[in-house]
Amino acid sequence: MKKQLKPIYFLILIAIVLLNSCKKNPVEDLKKFDNNSSKKTLGVNAITPYNFNWEVGDYMPAPTGTSILKPWASGSNQSFPLLYATDIKATDGWQLVYNTFNTTQLTPPLYFVLYNRYRGVLRAYFYLSPITPIPSSNIIHTLVQRAANNAHVLSYSAANAVDLNATSNTTSLAQPFKTTATGTWYAAEFEMAYDPNVGTKDAGSNLMSWEVNSINVSNLTLNGTSQGSITGTIAQPAPPSPGMFGSLLSGALEVGGLAALGPIKEGATSLLKSALHDALKSGLSGSVKNVSNGIFGGVAGADSTRQYVHLTTNTTYTFTGASTDVYSLANMSMIIPGSKNQESTTGYVPLYPSPLGLMTLSAAPTAQLVYLQYSWGHFPVAQLNPNSYNIVWNQSIINNTSTGATIANLKQEIISYENTNDDGTDQPWPVGSEYDGANRYVNLGYPSPSNNNYFAIRTVNTCYGCDFSNSEAWATFTIGQKMPNHVLRISFDVVPNNGTPKIKIVKSFNITLSGVTTIDG
């Protein structure tokens, strides 16, 4: 004979069941988080990175008994620009690409990588466990393209104009942070160019590595003066080495916002800071001024935590100091997302499987020099070939889906690093010229077909009384060289389909000389 369950026990049993069903499991919550990771079947040796919600909670995924604060958590050691701790929202386009943290075991190197699909930038965070102190004054992050087939994925880094006839395989970023004995977070951001052919390149050889090094120098001079209150990142298209100390180097200054400039004071760097300040303000308001390469986003007039700036300008700089030591802290290898057979590789596969970058050009823009011959003399111009290139958009981003975006306010202009209108009586630089802190240039607009696509240039001995300080002799031009003082500047807005604020992108490309000819005017 079966015994009946008394009502009081029945109620207790129901309560236990309900409590268990409602109990939150933080590990399961992390596992449920999805940011459009690859759904393809993985190979037997492929490892799917642990997917977690980086916006929620204080600690990184780790085994029981191990606690590592997230890089933006209060109390963590942060050796990276402040913007990297506030600008992290998935709704603004950030997605998880790589991660070596998980809840079962921690295997160094410990890092994770985010990618912003609306800006085309890769941001990597590296956690250095407690170590013996290392003498250091700067951290250098180096991203190396280790692809068997050359591509231009790093062409947008460390330069204010892109040379599509040359492949840049390395970019290094120097930040004014030191190594510490306690566990510390380091981070760097790299702008990625779109490679339309990435899907044809095998993942086993289409790799990039992120190297983190510490150097020890006593001073850093920028454009011949002490860097002072400009706390931006110094970038160069080369790896760190002892040879970089005491030498004048060409590179770029990457500024992450108005706060990075500090107050504008009189002195050697005041013109640079003033020009960059104007560039940042105009970029955030949606216009383009004093900039040939930059990314601007967020809400104009808002506090810095809601604004994003990635501005690059040419510069020269020198590291000085008695020490020439370079200490290697980590060297992480990663597949370039979008590569062929990436789901069948050995090791970690990217959670974000699509190609990186927003756009590129099908080829370098070309122009020919035209010597217009008149009865009274001659006059040199350049003639752009608008059919020499096309803008190639990354269709995995520029589309009509909820996670995609559209392009608006597309503008193409020729900018000249010289005063093409100077006849010897005008001021050295006309009103309305632009100054990015290292270069002054004139906006020539986009050549009109009704004017034979001509745009003004200046060469030695072509007009009476001209200022030829930036000129080049006509006879020295050769086919295939890049034009010394002109670039094609392309600017546009990326408008996310999810309603978040638009992003202003500015890119400049070197123009290749395709011919020299003489025409009767």
Side-chain angles (χ1 to χ4, degrees):
M1 180 177 178
K2 294 183 178 179
K3 293 184 179 180
Q4 294 291 327
L5 190 64
K6 292 184 179 181
I8 185 63
Y9 296 121
F10 182 72
L11 291 175
I12 293 174
L13 179 61
I14 291 176
I16 292 173
V17 171
L18 289 175
L19 285 172
N20 284 333
S21 64
C22 295
K23 187 177 181 180
K24 289 182 69 70
N25 185 332
V27 175
E28 290 303 317
D29 285 347
L30 290 173
K31 290 181 178 178
K32 290 175 183 177
F33 185 76
D34 184 14
N35 62 340
N36 298 326
S37 58
S38 177
K39 305 299 183 183
K40 293 185 178 180
T41 302
L42 298 180
V44 294
N45 295 319
I47 302 173
T48 301
Y50 190 88
N51 206 345
F52 72 103
N53 190 339
W54 61 90
E55 293 185 62
V56 177
D58 299 319
Y59 294 95
M60 294 297 297
T64 302
T66 301
S67 298
I68 300 175
L69 285 168
K70 289 182 177 178
W72 35 82
S74 175
S76 64
N77 285 334
Q78 302 175 357
S79 289
F80 52 79
L82 176 61
L83 187 67
Y84 298 176
T86 57
D87 173 42
I88 58 172
K89 292 186 178 298
T91 54
D92 290 333
W94 291 108
Q95 297 191 238
L96 186 63
V97 184
Y98 282 104
N99 172 46
T100 62
F101 288 88
N102 62 65
T103 58
T104 56
Q105 65 177 9
L106 295 182
T107 303
L110 299 176
Y111 69 96
F112 68 97
V113 180
L114 301 178
Y115 172 70
N116 193 294
R117 61 182 181 272
Y118 301 137
R119 307 172 195 167
V121 295
L122 203 66
R123 186 185 294 166
Y125 297 85
F126 165 62
Y127 179 76
L128 182 63
S129 300
I131 59 171
T132 302
I134 298 173
S136 66
S137 59
N138 290 79
I139 296 294
I140 297 186
H141 300 267
T142 302
L143 194 64
V144 180
Q145 178 185 324
R146 299 169 57 197
N149 299 311
N150 287 335
H152 295 280
V153 294
L154 297 182
S155 298
Y156 292 172
S157 297
N160 69 335
V162 180
D163 187 355
L164 289 177
N165 288 325
T167 300
S168 177
N169 292 321
T170 303
T171 182
S172 294
L173 310 177
Q175 297 177 342
F177 299 108
K178 301 178 180 180
T179 57
T180 58
T182 56
T184 304
W185 283 101
Y186 302 91
E189 189 171 276
F190 302 92
E191 187 178 0
M192 309 302 291
Y194 174 48
D195 176 13
N197 300 314
V198 66
T200 65
K201 300 170 183 177
D202 190 82
S205 57
N206 199 34
L207 305 171
M208 57 185 174
S209 62
W210 171 33
E211 303 172 7
V212 183
N213 297 279
S214 173
I215 65 172
N216 191 34
V217 295
S218 59
N219 189 37
L220 168 63
T221 60
L222 178 67
N223 286 346
T225 62
S226 178
Q227 185 181 5
S229 58
I230 300 178
T231 58
T233 296
I234 299 293
Q236 67 165 349
S241 67
M244 69 190 299
F245 294 89
S247 302
L248 185 65
L249 304 171
S250 296
L253 172 67
E254 296 182 355
V255 179
L258 292 171
L261 294 178
I264 299 177
K265 300 178 180 179
E266 294 297 326
T269 60
S270 62
L271 288 177
L272 170 64
K273 291 163 66 175
S274 178
L276 294 178
H277 189 274
D278 289 345
L280 299 181
K281 291 179 62 177
S282 63
L284 288 170
S285 66
S287 59
V288 177
K289 179 185 178 183
N290 294 356
V291 58
S292 57
N293 189 6
I295 305 173
F296 307 88
V299 182
D303 63 271
S304 60
T305 62
R306 299 183 63 200
Q307 295 179 344
Y308 173 84
V309 173
H310 184 104
L311 180 104
T312 303
T313 182
N314 275 349
T315 188
T316 57
Y317 60 98
T318 305
F319 289 111
T320 59
S323 174
T324 59
D325 293 327
V326 178
Y327 302 91
S328 178
L329 303 179
N331 188 353
M332 290 77 77
S333 179
M334 298 169 282
I335 296 171
I336 298 177
S339 299
K340 180 181 178 182
N341 299 323
Q342 61 186 358
E343 67 279 358
S344 302
T345 189
T346 298
Y348 288 104
V349 300
L351 286 170
Y352 180 79
S354 301
L356 304 179
L358 290 169
M359 57 82 72
T360 188
L361 300 185
S362 58
T366 65
Q368 67 172 346
L369 297 185
V370 180
Y371 210 43
L372 297 178
Q373 187 72 46
Y374 295 92
S375 58
W376 49 264
H378 47 261
F379 185 73
V381 294
Q383 185 179 43
L384 180 71
N385 179 9
N387 297 320
S388 61
Y389 69 94
N390 292 305
I391 300 177
V392 183
W393 303 103
N394 184 347
Q395 296 300 316
S396 67
I397 301 299
I398 309 305
N399 56 55
N400 295 322
T401 66
S402 61
T403 58
T406 57
I407 298 299
N409 299 321
L410 176 64
K411 183 182 293 186
Q412 301 184 64
E413 304 161 305
I414 301 292
I415 58 175
S416 168
Y417 294 97
E418 61 182 349
N419 178 11
T420 57
N421 300 316
D422 185 10
D423 61 2
T425 59
D426 294 340
Q427 295 180 353
W429 297 104
V431 175
S433 66
E434 301 180 30
Y435 177 64
D436 67 4
N439 304 283
R440 195 181 294 271
Y441 44 83
V442 180
N443 187 338
L444 302 177
Y446 196 70
S448 169
S450 62
N451 192 34
N452 296 315
N453 298 323
Y454 290 155
F455 60 90
I457 63 169
R458 182 178 59 181
T459 61
V460 173
N461 298 328
T462 55
C463 63
Y464 178 75
C466 289
D467 172 13
F468 297 118
S469 59
N470 283 327
S471 301
E472 185 163 331
W474 180 268
T476 65
F477 285 104
T478 57
I479 305 301
Q481 77 163 79
K482 64 181 180 181
M483 297 194 68
N485 298 319
H486 295 76
V487 296
L488 172 67
R489 181 170 69 182
I490 299 177
S491 61
F492 54 89
D493 293 337
V494 179
V495 185
N497 297 336
N498 64 6
T500 52
K502 65 182 180 182
I503 308 296
K504 172 70 72 175
I505 308 288
V506 184
K507 284 284 158 289
S508 292
F509 298 85
N510 287 321
I511 302 171
T512 301
L513 184 61
S514 61
V516 180
T517 185
T518 300
I519 299 177
D520 291 334

